[in-house]
Amino acid sequence: MRNVDSTLHVSGKSKYVDDIHEIEGTLYAIPVYSPIAKGKLLSLSADDEPDLIHLITAKDIPGENQIGGVIQDQELLVEETILYIGQTMAIILARNEEAAKRIRKNIKIEYIQEEAITDPRVAFKKDEIIGKPRKFVKGNVESTWSFCDLIIEGEVHIPGQEHLYLETQSSYALPTENGYKIYSSTQSPTSVQTEISNILGIPMHHIEVDVQRLGGGFGGKEEQASIFACMATLGAYISKKPVKLILDRHDDLLMTGKRHPYVAEYKIGKKDRKILAYEVIFYQDAGAVTDLSLAVLERSMFHFTSSYHIPNGKATGYSCRTNLPPNTAFRGFGGPQAMFALEVAIDNLANRAGFNTIEFQKENLINDGYEFPYGQIAKGIELQKAVAQSKESMLKLLNELTTFNSSNRYQKMGLAMFPVTFGISFSTTFLNQAGALVHIYKDGSIGVSTGAVEMGQGVNTRILQTVKQFFYLPKELIRIESTNTTRVINTSPSAASSTHDLNGKATLNACEQIRDRIFKFLDPKGSKDIRLENKFFIIDDEKIPWNDVIRDCYMNRIDLSAHGYYSTPSIKYNLDRENGHPFAYYTTGIAYVLAKVDIARGTYSLERCHIVHDSGKLLNNKLDIGQIEGGLAQGLGWLLLEDLKYSDKGELISNSLSTYKVPDIHFMPETEIEFIGSDNPLGLMGSKAVGEPPFMYGIAGYFAILNAMRCFKKMNFKYPVPLTPENIFMSLFAPSKM
Ligand code: LUZ
Ligand code: MOS
């Protein structure tokens, strides 16, 4: 089935926050943010002018000037202490956007500037650490080093990444009779509701948050959308008028946090052809406040052994406070950083040993039964199957490479493989719950509400399909409603690749309740054989149309509406012992990328990509392919193109799309995707979560290029990121300057 939104999207009819019809008298809010990364705010003032309704500062906040979903350590508006460039100090409330921007230009700010920290290891040395350090141990690395025949140590600089959702942070807040209704471009309607409740000092039931869809989220709207929704609602509280706040691209790039950059220090050792021990220290650049950094770091810890059999492993993780915008969730959520660190270590080790890296990788993959350092036993790991299934394709790629490289001196091809094992569930156990509300109207049509937010990933299509298959109905009879906090409450963010599992299963639970009531009405004694089939109920041998049965149920006062609920069974985690079963299951797969580098110029093209991916029982292969291709593009962009740069004053230098390059269609390799198709009872209709895992296939692109460079010149690289033509060229011809 096609994505139900596709026709709306291509015809321009999909509604985003900025498309909502504005109520007359709507005011416009824009943030005034700090131009310095650290210091003290002394004063702030705006010229009087008729279009300025109010300059909102911390003093105007009726509740607590505190936000933060995990740790409340962030002021919505700076009172005195400035922590990063882009931090909001005040909000201009004006009659329109133009006026708001004009007023902002003339704002007078007085401050005292202090020296900023922009390097996580400098923060670490100054003891600027958020939360408790994490330590995961398996076996005993210390006593194993002496058994190794080769040990390598090094450090990896792992880059951050801008989300670049097409729709910038957006909210529209309307005062209602007894509270507020907020349209927000958020992955987490309940977080928006919670934060506003705190800022305004009013209970949650006075706040209604509604989300139709997002123009992309990628994690950037899991936590940080709340900030902007709070600002708009604060404006509505002060003015008693509807208030709109839509960031322009420049403000959005500057104010919002990114994927966390990490520095990783590693040591890895092997004996013969087996990895014996791996030790890593992660210095996470959290930015200035906690945001989701500790949860992101936790996922890095869970994935520090990636897809590899590490008999002795040790990881230490520090979340380091710097004076950059608070870094936040981003597709993969700390997983990519940890996996890239280990992949660099393995690549380095294999190359020093003179091994074929792909062979070495394959010989060290995990299987079912492997115990992860946090105690969960691997199950449903299909890596070996993926290797076997891709054998011929891989030989074809190798053949193409060999032929090309033997006849070209200054252009070289390189091939690399990357295996993905990604744990599915929120690592924060309590978030693994969801609700749904299913209505069957008396004409037989169905309305479904869940906590799931549609952000382009196709969750509405999957839920629609689930209901369609459950009741054997055509898709026209089913409508997926907006996500609204008065219909489905206490929603977890649409995140962690788990949205359709959790919300789909809650929907099924509601459907089952209604079906059972209908069946009981049709057959009170339970003696008949009842089935559903193509818009009909089959009762013994009698066929009654769906609509007739529904009307009959209504006339006989049968409740045709149900609230459904789902919470993932069997997951648990003990933080003190760093041990448990945090994930419902794992999504696995492997990717090969073939790249071609023009040695003399440093330019390259990604030629081909072959992916074997386990999506469980396929629920919708088009959506899955969309997620895999999109994830791959984003992962390739992360390590190859996207050069996120801050100055040592904490100022974003790559602050526009002329200085921050993202992949386009021409950048992408020709991609073939094969599925494995295992069964997975913990996924929706036997499927497996697919949102985040494919992001990490992009790592194969990075090593494909390095391997092409090595085909020209045998050398040890310093693993530059991103692997731009400049960096390739310098690595080859001026390595000492890298
Ligand atoms: N958000 C979260 C996530 O709160 N916990 C997680 O484990 C997670 N994983 C991926 C993406 N978002
Ligand atoms: Mo996410 S990084 O699953 O919002």
Side-chain angles (χ1 to χ4, degrees):
M1 192 174 134
R2 238 172 35 186
N3 188 324
V4 292
D5 276 354
S6 53
T7 313
L8 292 176
H9 287 340
V10 297
S11 59
K13 287 186 186 137
S14 323
K15 293 258 187 254
Y16 299 87
V17 173
D18 204 15
D19 299 320
I20 294 169
H21 188 72
E22 271 178 36
I23 292 175
E24 217 189 302
T26 293
L27 302 176
Y28 212 92
I30 63 167
V32 178
Y33 49 78
S34 165
I36 58 163
K38 191 160 192 274
K40 299 252 177 304
L41 175 63
L42 299 178
S43 75
L44 197 147
S45 60
D47 295 339
D48 248 351
E49 72 154 283
D51 284 337
L52 174 64
I53 305 293
H54 195 72
L55 180 67
I56 305 170
T57 61
K59 293 192 298 291
D60 296 308
I61 294 175
E64 274 182 277
N65 181 19
Q66 278 294 315
I67 51 173
V70 180
I71 297 178
Q72 291 245 312
D73 66 348
Q74 182 171 10
E75 290 174 349
L76 180 67
L77 300 175
V78 170
E79 286 174 16
E80 187 186 16
T81 311
I82 296 169
L83 296 172
Y84 62 93
I85 293 177
Q87 188 178 17
T88 310
M89 304 189 296
I91 304 161
I92 293 168
L93 193 59
R95 289 202 200 283
N96 55 56
E97 183 178 6
E98 229 172 71
K101 287 199 162 161
R102 187 178 64 233
I103 294 161
R104 185 165 71 173
K105 274 211 188 91
N106 299 320
I107 287 270
K108 287 177 198 62
I109 308 167
E110 292 180 306
Y111 52 77
I112 302 171
Q113 190 160 0
E114 294 163 20
E115 202 183 326
I117 302 176
T118 56
D119 178 322
R121 278 189 297 189
V122 172
F124 174 78
K125 288 200 187 93
K126 295 193 170 165
D127 218 18
E128 289 287 346
I129 297 170
I130 298 174
K132 272 193 240 153
R134 300 293 288 265
K135 187 172 273 184
F136 279 36
V137 177
K138 173 171 167 116
N140 186 335
V141 286
E142 286 81 6
S143 64
T144 308
W145 300 119
S146 59
F147 295 99
C148 296
D149 59 22
L150 180 62
I151 296 170
I152 305 273
E153 289 180 68
E155 68 179 51
V156 195
H157 289 256
I158 304 161
Q161 186 175 27
E162 161 61 34
H163 301 85
L164 215 82
Y165 27 66
L166 282 183
E167 181 196 26
T168 55
Q169 302 279 355
S170 306
S171 30
Y172 188 30
L174 315 173
T176 56
E177 201 172 77
N178 56 7
Y180 300 90
K181 176 165 183 174
I182 298 100
Y183 296 97
S184 164
S185 182
T186 177
Q187 289 172 245
S188 187
T190 292
S191 303
V192 167
Q193 190 187 18
T194 311
E195 303 281 21
I196 292 173
S197 149
N198 202 39
I199 289 288
L200 296 188
I202 57 175
M204 286 170 78
H205 69 192
H206 285 321
I207 301 156
E208 174 184 356
V209 180
D210 192 272
V211 184
Q212 183 64 56
R213 66 165 63 72
L214 318 188
F218 310 114
K221 297 169 182 169
E222 183 173 337
E223 181 79 7
Q224 303 204 345
S226 305
I227 303 171
F228 303 98
C230 283
M231 292 180 193
T233 315
L234 188 56
Y237 159 81
I238 285 167
S239 65
K240 305 191 169 50
K241 295 252 171 67
V243 173
K244 199 168 188 178
L245 189 157
I246 313 272
L247 288 188
D248 70 21
R249 179 65 64 188
H250 183 259
D251 285 357
D252 191 301
L253 289 171
L254 210 131
M255 296 183 72
T256 62
K258 321 286 179 215
R259 179 185 295 288
H260 294 78
Y262 279 49
V263 177
E265 295 170 350
Y266 69 84
K267 183 172 177 185
I268 189 165
K270 69 156 193 75
K271 182 168 166 56
D272 302 327
R273 298 195 60 95
K274 291 286 180 201
I275 301 168
L276 274 199
Y278 172 59
E279 181 173 350
V280 64
I281 304 172
F282 296 122
Y283 300 92
Q284 177 197 55
D285 186 340
V289 297
T290 308
D291 194 274
L292 288 167
S293 297
L294 297 176
V296 170
L297 182 66
E298 180 171 64
R299 194 171 271 280
S300 303
M301 303 301 290
F302 283 132
H303 290 302
F304 91 93
T305 59
S306 191
S307 293
Y308 296 102
H309 190 282
I310 309 283
N312 301 281
K314 181 164 139 191
T316 313
Y318 301 104
S319 181
C320 309
R321 193 193 299 278
T322 61
N323 296 106
L324 297 181
N327 289 315
T328 192
F330 195 142
R331 202 174 195 170
F333 206 76
Q337 289 93 325
M339 293 185 198
F340 182 63
L342 175 53
E343 209 58 26
V344 165
I346 289 176
D347 181 84
N348 209 345
L349 187 67
N351 276 285
R352 307 265 173 134
F355 294 163
N356 172 310
T357 312
I358 294 179
E359 293 306 317
F360 186 62
Q361 286 172 291
K362 285 179 181 170
E363 287 161 10
N364 285 278
L365 290 177
I366 50 168
N367 283 310
D368 279 3
Y370 172 72
E371 184 179 346
F372 289 103
Y374 50 90
Q376 185 161 343
I377 307 295
K379 198 168 159 254
I381 306 289
E382 301 291 359
L383 296 169
Q384 298 296 349
K385 214 182 254 176
V387 166
Q389 203 169 309
S390 58
K391 200 165 167 197
E392 257 171 52
S393 310
M394 131 89 179
L395 287 174
K396 254 174 52 196
L397 295 174
L398 200 56
N399 219 352
E400 187 175 345
L401 176 151
T402 315
T403 313
F404 184 89
N405 285 357
S406 62
S407 55
N408 286 279
R409 188 156 167 213
Y410 295 110
Q411 285 192 56
K412 292 290 176 192
M413 280 190 175
L415 179 67
M417 183 269 272
F418 187 75
V420 171
T421 301
F422 197 81
I424 304 301
S425 286
F426 285 93
S427 57
T428 309
T429 302
F430 77 83
L431 290 174
N432 295 288
Q433 56 173 320
L437 184 61
V438 175
H439 299 321
I440 305 186
Y441 295 96
K442 64 186 183 190
D443 69 351
S445 65
I446 299 181
V448 181
S449 296
T450 72
V453 170
E454 175 61 53
M455 48 187 144
Q457 87 279 44
V459 67
N460 283 0
T461 305
R462 285 184 210 267
I463 289 174
L464 193 152
Q465 245 183 315
T466 305
V467 176
K468 176 178 144 65
Q469 289 179 21
F470 185 86
F471 284 123
Y472 293 83
L473 292 172
K475 64 174 191 287
E476 291 69 30
L477 275 184
I478 305 154
R479 207 188 117 75
I480 310 296
E481 306 288 353
S482 68
T483 316
N484 185 298
T485 54
T486 65
R487 268 179 269 121
V488 176
I489 66 162
N490 303 340
T491 61
S492 292
S494 283
S497 306
S498 302
T499 313
H500 64 259
D501 278 355
L502 298 174
N503 293 278
K505 290 201 167 207
T507 304
L508 276 176
N509 175 255
C511 292
E512 281 159 6
Q513 295 174 43
I514 303 176
R515 179 202 56 196
D516 291 350
R517 285 181 217 145
I518 298 174
F519 279 17
K520 196 165 170 221
F521 163 70
L522 294 171
D523 175 20
K525 294 207 197 80
S527 58
K528 296 179 184 157
D529 175 30
I530 311 184
R531 282 176 301 125
L532 279 151
E533 206 183 280
N534 283 332
K535 278 189 89 176
F536 284 94
F537 284 83
I538 319 275
I539 306 160
D540 287 336
D541 289 328
E542 197 187 354
K543 244 177 125 176
I544 313 177
W546 164 266
N547 293 26
D548 294 359
V549 172
I550 297 301
R551 173 157 293 273
D552 243 21
C553 285
Y554 169 68
M555 297 304 287
N556 285 280
R557 297 185 290 172
I558 304 298
D559 182 5
L560 291 170
S561 176
H563 161 75
Y565 181 78
Y566 180 74
S567 67
T568 314
S570 77
I571 49 173
K572 56 179 195 293
Y573 197 69
N574 184 322
L575 271 169
D576 296 325
R577 293 183 15 241
E578 296 290 18
N579 190 279
H581 189 103
F583 299 121
Y585 60 90
Y586 297 90
T587 293
T588 57
I590 64 171
Y592 292 93
V593 174
L594 181 70
K596 182 163 82 185
V597 177
D598 183 328
I599 299 298
R601 295 176 179 83
T603 54
Y604 56 85
S605 56
L606 300 169
E607 297 287 305
R608 265 171 253 296
C609 174
H610 194 89
I611 291 171
V612 184
H613 182 88
D614 182 23
S615 255
K617 276 200 197 156
L618 283 180
L619 180 58
N620 188 320
N621 69 323
K622 282 188 185 163
L623 287 180
D624 284 12
I625 288 171
Q627 286 297 300
I628 293 168
E629 291 181 346
L632 172 69
Q634 222 164 18
L636 289 167
W638 172 49
L639 293 175
L640 301 182
L641 284 180
E642 302 182 34
D643 205 355
L644 184 69
K645 275 209 165 88
Y646 288 94
S647 72
D648 54 14
K649 292 201 167 68
E651 186 178 12
L652 182 67
I653 300 170
S654 50
N655 65 1
S656 77
L657 293 184
S658 61
T659 49
Y660 189 80
K661 188 161 169 51
V662 293
D664 61 17
I665 191 75
H666 305 291
F667 183 75
M668 292 299 290
E670 207 172 281
T671 303
E672 271 179 56
I673 298 163
E674 283 180 65
F675 290 105
I676 291 184
S678 65
D679 190 15
N680 178 39
L682 284 166
L684 181 59
M685 317 276 275
S687 68
K688 279 193 171 183
V690 69
E692 296 175 289
F695 179 91
M696 287 144 278
Y697 291 144
I699 295 173
Y702 180 88
F703 289 96
I705 292 173
L706 278 193
N707 288 340
M709 292 158 68
R710 287 186 185 115
C711 288
F712 175 76
K713 191 169 174 180
K714 283 271 158 282
M715 62 186 299
N716 296 319
F717 296 106
K718 286 178 184 155
Y719 300 96
V721 284
L723 212 37
T724 54
E726 295 90 319
N727 279 339
I728 292 173
F729 189 85
M730 295 297 276
S731 299
L732 283 165
F733 300 111
S736 62
K737 294 219 168 75
M738 282 298 292

